[in-house]
Amino acid sequence: MARTGSEHDARVSVSAARKIALSAPWIDERDEELVLEVLRSGQLSLGPVGPRFEGLLAEAVGAPYCAAVSSGTAGLHLCMRLAGVGPGDEVITSPYSFVASANCAIYEGATPVFADIDPSTLNLDPAAVEAAITPKTKAVVAVDIFGYPCELDELLAICDRHGLALVEDACEALGALYKGRPIGSHGHPAVWAFYPNKQVTTGEGGAVTTGSAQEHDLLVSLRNQGRLETSSWLQHGRLGFNYRLDDISAALGVGQLERLDRILESRGEVAERYAQLLAGVDLETPLANDADHVRSWFVYVVKLPAGVDRDAVITRLGGDGIACAPYLPSIHLQSYMRERFGFSEGLCPVSEDASARTMALPFHARLAHDDQRRVVEALRIALEAA
Ligand SMILES: Cc1ncc(COP(=O)(O)O)c(C=O)c1O
């Protein structure tokens, strides 16, 4: 079919429009210098920069101990070891998260048990956690989804009452506060992740912070092939892993953590601008902070009204050069979870409803105001058409 001139022009201008990425790391000259210093030093792993990075992170989250690891997933896996999770055990976690929060239990032969979430916070509903406890339950992995702190006091009380370990998947929450204190400062192990879409990046990388010297010693050994503090390079006191973070990655992390406040502030400003631009658009914006919960902005996720074809909206924005994503699918409905454990629709209705309606907009510390305007305008048009 022949196109009119204006249709053709519109297509050309859309394809010529600059693409707006879903996320982007913020790397500056200081980061580059620090990485180069390590490269020039010749000591690319097990050097002095790893501990420097750990010190800065421990200070930022108010934890006495920090062990850097190769990814957030590795950190979660090691926390299963700390909790003594093994074959036959059950680990309760959130279905509305990244798969690693549940996979870590499977790595140790345990079964993930999904408790439903609270529709407003999108974090684990403590009542659902308590209802999911059985004699086989060993641990709870609570997630601070999209940087919004989970209900720590209630979850800690439940774990205390039932003798369970609490592991906090804080991979998305660096800088968040619960009841005025940083996430990570409450004593139990908290896991951090530094993939390039995170607030702070090391390329790939992660960390576990804890208030326990004993847990820290075990983490340090487990990440380093089970070596003991006293043993030489080829002496291994236990079965371990190579989950070390190299010094090149750690150097990038040092640069990032040195300006953590600026990074968090910029992300907060971008979120605030979205909130203003989206006023009057028919969708739910992210839950606001309250006295007990201060979010660290990881992604900007909106919830569309029921009945709107969310995937069509994402496709249409993609056609306009704007990358959005269907954050987050419910973990229990991933194909390998269905096949392995027989999970199906209806297990966690609140999570499933959120999964069908939520989407992440482009979001990073240096997203330009004009780009945000373009995203919101395109979203408005896509919603009208959906
Ligand atoms: C909630 C959550 N848990 C765990 C992870 C895993 O982190 P990594 O990708 O560093 O293994 C991520 C990272 O995307 C995450 O968002």
Side-chain angles (χ1 to χ4, degrees):
M1 198 173 82
R3 273 196 215 116
T4 65
S6 65
E7 265 176 336
H8 183 257
D9 290 348
R11 279 176 174 257
V12 169
S13 71
V14 162
S15 61
R18 207 163 39 80
K19 292 209 184 322
I20 303 179
L22 187 60
S23 70
W26 178 7
I27 309 293
D28 74 2
E29 277 178 21
R30 169 84 178 145
D31 297 333
E32 291 172 8
E33 272 166 29
L34 287 162
V35 169
L36 271 175
E37 256 175 46
V38 172
L39 290 174
R40 288 174 182 145
S41 76
Q43 190 159 16
L44 307 190
S45 190
L46 292 168
V49 185
R52 234 168 98 197
F53 173 65
E54 292 171 335
L56 286 172
L57 185 63
E59 196 186 325
V61 305
Y65 303 101
C66 173
V69 290
S70 52
S71 68
T73 305
L76 286 165
H77 184 191
L78 294 188
C79 285
M80 294 295 94
R81 285 292 176 98
L82 292 187
V85 169
D89 292 334
E90 292 177 352
V91 175
I92 298 174
T93 190
S94 171
Y96 192 77
S97 180
F98 185 65
V99 287
S101 342
N103 286 349
C104 59
I106 304 175
Y107 297 155
E108 290 301 312
T111 302
V113 172
F114 294 101
D116 213 344
I117 56 169
D118 178 300
S120 58
T121 63
L122 304 176
N123 280 325
L124 272 175
D125 173 356
V129 170
E130 188 138 36
I133 294 172
T134 74
K136 293 181 180 171
T137 309
K138 193 83 178 200
V140 174
V141 177
V143 186
D144 305 306
I145 204 66
F146 308 148
Y148 196 85
C150 62
E151 299 310 324
L152 265 188
D153 279 355
E154 284 168 82
L155 292 168
L156 280 165
I158 291 169
C159 288
D160 264 6
R161 259 201 313 278
H162 295 272
L164 309 175
L166 180 70
V167 171
E168 190 165 359
D169 179 342
C171 288
E172 303 185 352
L174 179 58
L177 304 176
Y178 178 72
K179 297 197 172 169
R181 280 170 51 198
I183 290 294
S185 67
H186 296 81
H188 56 275
V191 182
W192 310 93
F194 308 116
Y195 182 75
N197 67 344
K198 297 295 188 296
Q199 289 89 335
V200 156
T201 187
T202 57
E204 296 285 355
V208 183
T209 51
T210 170
S212 153
Q214 217 181 342
E215 285 181 342
H216 179 69
D217 290 348
L218 187 51
L219 288 164
V220 167
S221 170
L222 286 171
R223 75 174 172 188
N224 191 19
Q225 301 283 21
R227 293 184 176 94
L228 306 178
E229 212 187 321
T230 49
S231 60
S232 61
W233 189 246
L234 293 177
Q235 297 297 317
H236 305 265
R238 57 171 62 86
L239 176 67
F241 308 89
N242 179 358
Y243 284 169
R244 296 185 301 263
L245 185 74
D246 64 273
D247 278 42
I248 305 167
S249 305
L252 177 53
V254 167
Q256 299 261 302
L257 286 176
E258 282 178 353
R259 62 180 202 287
L260 178 62
D261 289 349
R262 263 173 68 211
I263 293 175
L264 297 180
E265 198 182 36
S266 300
R267 294 176 84 95
E269 285 165 8
V270 172
E272 182 53 39
R273 282 206 300 266
Y274 263 139
Q276 287 164 10
L277 290 165
L278 286 165
V281 180
D282 185 20
L283 47 70
E284 279 177 48
T285 50
L287 185 63
N289 293 336
D290 61 25
D292 292 346
H293 308 80
V294 175
R295 183 195 298 271
S296 167
W297 286 98
F298 164 55
V299 281
Y300 198 89
V301 171
V302 295
K303 193 190 261 182
L304 306 189
V308 170
D309 184 345
R310 186 265 323 264
D311 295 342
V313 170
I314 292 175
T315 303
R316 190 170 174 135
L317 284 159
D320 291 343
I322 298 168
C324 296
Y327 270 34
L328 276 162
S330 289
I331 302 175
H332 61 286
L333 298 182
Q334 298 281 352
S335 58
Y336 73 102
M337 285 280 177
R338 291 173 184 264
E339 282 157 24
R340 192 162 174 158
F341 300 105
F343 298 138
S344 60
E345 281 81 1
L347 183 68
C348 298
V350 182
S351 173
E352 291 163 30
D353 177 62
S355 292
R357 293 165 53 199
T358 46
M359 62 182 272
L361 305 183
F363 186 78
H364 55 87
R366 293 194 301 168
L367 188 59
H369 201 159
D370 278 353
D371 283 353
Q372 288 190 267
R373 267 201 221 100
R374 214 179 109 202
V375 171
V376 173
E377 199 39 44
L379 181 58
R380 203 190 296 274
I381 292 167
L383 283 171
E384 277 165 17

